[in-house]
Amino acid sequence: MATSCKKMEKIQGHPCFGGNHHKNGRMHLAVAPKCNIKCGYCTRKHDCANESRPGVTSRLLTPAEAMVKVREVMASPITGPMIKVVGIAGPGDPLFNEETFETFRMVGEEFPHLIKCLSTNGLLLPDRMAQLKEIGLHSLTVTLNALDPKVGAKIYSHVYYEGKRYSGEEAAALLLMNQLEGIAQAAELGLTIKINTVLIPGVNDDQIPLISQKVKELGAFVMNIMPLIPNADFAHVVPPSPEQIDVLRKANEKVIGQFAHCKQCRSDAIGLIGENLQLENPKL
Ligand code: SF4
Ligand code: SF4
Ligand code: SF4
């Protein structure tokens, strides 16, 4: 299906989807504290490793506090003109927190021109798709690290779904099933989809080409291969070098476009990619 003009216009405004990342910025709202899975690289002492780097934990905001922040940022002559995207990426899984939906509803009412973007582990995607449609989500990032449940079981220690806790391959297979179904539904809905894959050397190297092929077939727009930040269960793993990541991106770019500017931002980052104006200017 050809990408519509309206969709293309929005993609061009989105720095994480290949839009002009020197000019267009995004604002992350850290309103989603809880998570429903456990990734081996996550310590929960800092923001979700889906979209973050270790460091100071962002201050959790209520939806009302988040709105105060959005108003301040949009009124500022420094940030107002550059912010094109409001993203919710943590610190837990946005789909597992009602605050995510409440915040997006409020942002949509007051700032309808801002692109709504969300980043998730994908477990609840099929369950939440109708709500995502209702709030008018434009872009979606799903972190998908394995297609083989045996590999997934080495990455995810447990998954909590519909009141039940799963572990091992059963957990990984359940997560995978919902991720793939969710990506297919999101593509059907016309969302612009980015797939984040954390490369964990010695664990999921062989999964990368399989993932790129599969998500392309399902309708994803771009892939973002991210280096592991060694932590928790994977604290001992030597992270991949920028050169290794580069080689992988090149090998997969014929299958699906590769996003090469990711700076693994925190879930409260504000400004251009790699920038957090909030840290430089606490008033924001
Ligand atoms: Fe941590 Fe994010 Fe994984 Fe949840 S989805 S365990 S918050 S890295
Ligand atoms: Fe959207 Fe993710 Fe980029 Fe945030 S980090 S703006 S949630 S793609
Ligand atoms: Fe964009 Fe930062 Fe998200 Fe990477 S982590 S996709 S650079 S906002």
Side-chain angles (χ1 to χ4, degrees):
M1 198 175 50
T3 312
S4 73
C5 294
K6 212 164 167 204
K7 190 168 169 187
M8 238 13 244
E9 232 172 70
K10 284 206 164 171
I11 292 170
Q12 281 158 6
H14 196 316
C16 305
F17 285 77
N20 188 345
H21 63 275
H22 297 296
K23 198 168 135 246
N24 297 329
R26 45 63 188 125
M27 168 177 197
H28 279 171
L29 299 174
V31 294
K34 295 179 292 174
C35 192
N36 46 5
I37 69 173
K38 175 70 179 73
C39 306
Y41 45 69
C42 181
T43 61
R44 303 305 316 270
K45 288 196 187 103
H46 54 78
D47 294 329
C48 175
N50 272 335
E51 296 287 353
S52 68
R53 61 167 181 247
V56 194
T57 305
S58 49
R59 191 172 80 82
L60 200 62
L61 300 175
T62 64
E65 287 168 339
M67 279 313 293
V68 171
K69 177 149 292 196
V70 177
R71 285 182 203 119
E72 280 168 9
V73 167
M74 294 314 290
S76 151
I78 311 167
T79 48
M82 89 171 57
I83 299 297
K84 307 283 186 245
V85 179
V86 166
I88 301 186
D93 185 69
L95 297 183
F96 194 47
N97 295 270
E98 291 310 321
E99 291 86 345
T100 299
F101 301 91
E102 203 183 325
T103 306
F104 273 143
R105 263 183 218 111
M106 292 197 283
V107 170
E109 274 166 25
E110 246 180 273
F111 300 94
H113 65 289
L114 288 174
I115 297 171
K116 296 185 201 74
C117 183
L118 177 146
S119 179
T120 174
N121 60 39
L123 180 67
L124 291 179
L125 263 181
D127 300 84
R128 295 292 205 167
M129 198 54 67
Q131 277 171 289
L132 295 180
K133 183 179 179 191
E134 187 202 315
I135 54 156
L137 189 78
H138 166 266
S139 338
L140 174 75
T141 297
V142 184
T143 300
L144 177 50
N145 296 324
L147 282 190
D148 179 348
K150 281 195 183 62
V151 177
K154 293 182 195 160
I155 301 172
Y156 307 106
S157 59
H158 70 256
V159 158
Y160 183 75
Y161 187 63
E162 291 182 341
K164 203 172 154 201
R165 194 177 188 275
Y166 299 82
S167 58
E169 280 182 43
E170 198 188 6
L174 172 62
L175 175 63
L176 177 67
M177 184 177 75
N178 285 5
Q179 287 170 327
L180 298 182
E181 174 60 31
I183 294 166
Q185 286 184 13
E188 183 70 19
L189 198 63
L191 300 187
T192 306
I193 306 164
K194 168 158 70 70
I195 303 298
N196 279 355
T197 300
V198 180
L199 173 64
I200 311 168
V203 177
N204 67 345
D205 316 57
D206 66 336
Q207 298 291 295
I208 312 286
L210 305 175
I211 294 172
S212 67
Q213 189 67 48
K214 185 71 189 172
V215 299
K216 176 70 186 179
E217 281 165 26
L218 292 176
F221 175 71
V222 70
M223 183 179 191
N224 176 19
I225 303 171
M226 305 161 85
L228 170 78
I229 299 173
N231 255 319
D233 303 348
F234 296 124
H236 60 284
V237 175
V238 179
S241 66
E243 292 72 29
Q244 274 172 285
I245 296 282
D246 240 33
V247 168
L248 259 186
R249 283 182 182 147
K250 289 220 165 66
N252 288 282
E253 73 191 356
K254 285 189 199 76
V255 180
I256 182 167
Q258 299 287 315
F259 179 61
H261 306 291
C262 187
K263 296 282 187 258
Q264 294 175 277
C265 308
R266 291 157 40 110
S267 63
D268 63 350
I270 298 173
L272 299 177
I273 284 180
E275 226 179 40
N276 192 355
L277 295 173
Q278 180 166 236
L279 296 181
E280 290 155 31
N281 185 355
K283 278 206 176 137
L284 284 179

